[in-house]
Amino acid sequence: MINGLAQRLRAATKELHAAAERAGIMPDLLRGQLSRQCYCELLRNLFEIYRALELALTARAGDPALAPVVFPGLFRTATLAADLDILWPGSWREQLPLQGATHLYVARIEELSESAPALLAAHAYVRYLGDLSGGQILRLIVTRMLGTRQGEGTSFYDFGSDLEVAEAARVLRAGLAALPADESRETAIVAEALDGFRMHERLFVELAQRRDRALFTACPATD
Ligand code: HEM
């Protein structure tokens, strides 16, 4: 059963979730039709977002307004680095570019860490509950798309067995319910989660524009 803030977040973000699924590179990813380069660019950008988020969650873990949703066992920075080390045969930190949306997202997380750590809960919801839900569908698609051996280059999606994934989602929702948030704080967390979805949508669009530009310039002129 989902209660309180978790229920509110789910209802409020439903529309933007659907929009994010349709944005930019996402439909191709869902069809398993993203090039390895484009997929690695997505991971590179996610790496930067998770790095900022997980640094902030760690720095603010002692804040009772945030502590119930800080679960280092869910952290993804190391898995993203491990996947990129396998999938990108080069120096991915330097070779794969960061998008404007990522810079904005990182700046927002750093700002919250300084001035409103309680709102980082919104980003823990957007990312980790997403990874524990839709991420588990993407895991199969991406494994097939990359043509790698089972589990190779897809540790980002690995949270253990199905039972462990369900338990982690339950515990995260319970953490959201345990936040000492009054009505106005809850409203602010929901607004922040909506912005989190919008920033993802923007990132997916920017990655698609970059891919399409690269395709266009790679095509020889026909006239
Ligand atoms: C192609 C992309 C995606 C697919 C196929 C997908 C699919 C799903 C599915 C099937 C669920 C479970 C819904 C339910 O329990 O009723 C879910 C939940 C969720 N997804 Fe996604 N998703 C995608 C992209 C995203 C993105 C980009 C984000 C974040 C920016 C995200 C964040 C979430 C969150 C936070 C939940 C939990 C909703 C809740 O129960 O409160 N998803 N997703």
Side-chain angles (χ1 to χ4, degrees), residues 29-30 32 134-148 150 154 157 162:
L29 178 58
L30 263 178
Q136 299 304 300
I137 302 170
L138 290 178
R139 179 185 192 169
L140 297 174
I141 297 172
V142 168
T143 301
R144 224 176 305 130
M145 180 178 86
L146 297 172
T148 48
Q150 195 70 28
T154 54
Y157 304 103
D162 288 354

Side-chain angles (χ1 to χ4, degrees), residues 43-97:
L43 293 190
R44 170 73 184 97
N45 281 270
L46 289 179
F47 172 85
E48 218 57 33
I49 291 167
Y50 278 93
R51 195 164 71 105
L53 178 59
E54 290 167 5
L55 279 172
L57 291 173
T58 304
R60 300 296 172 196
D63 186 332
L66 182 67
V69 296
V70 179
F71 296 104
L74 296 179
F75 284 7
R76 296 290 93 189
T77 306
T79 62
L80 284 161
D83 289 347
L84 280 161
D85 284 342
I86 290 174
L87 298 174
W88 188 259
S91 183
W92 52 265
R93 278 185 179 78
E94 288 75 33
Q95 291 171 350
L96 299 173

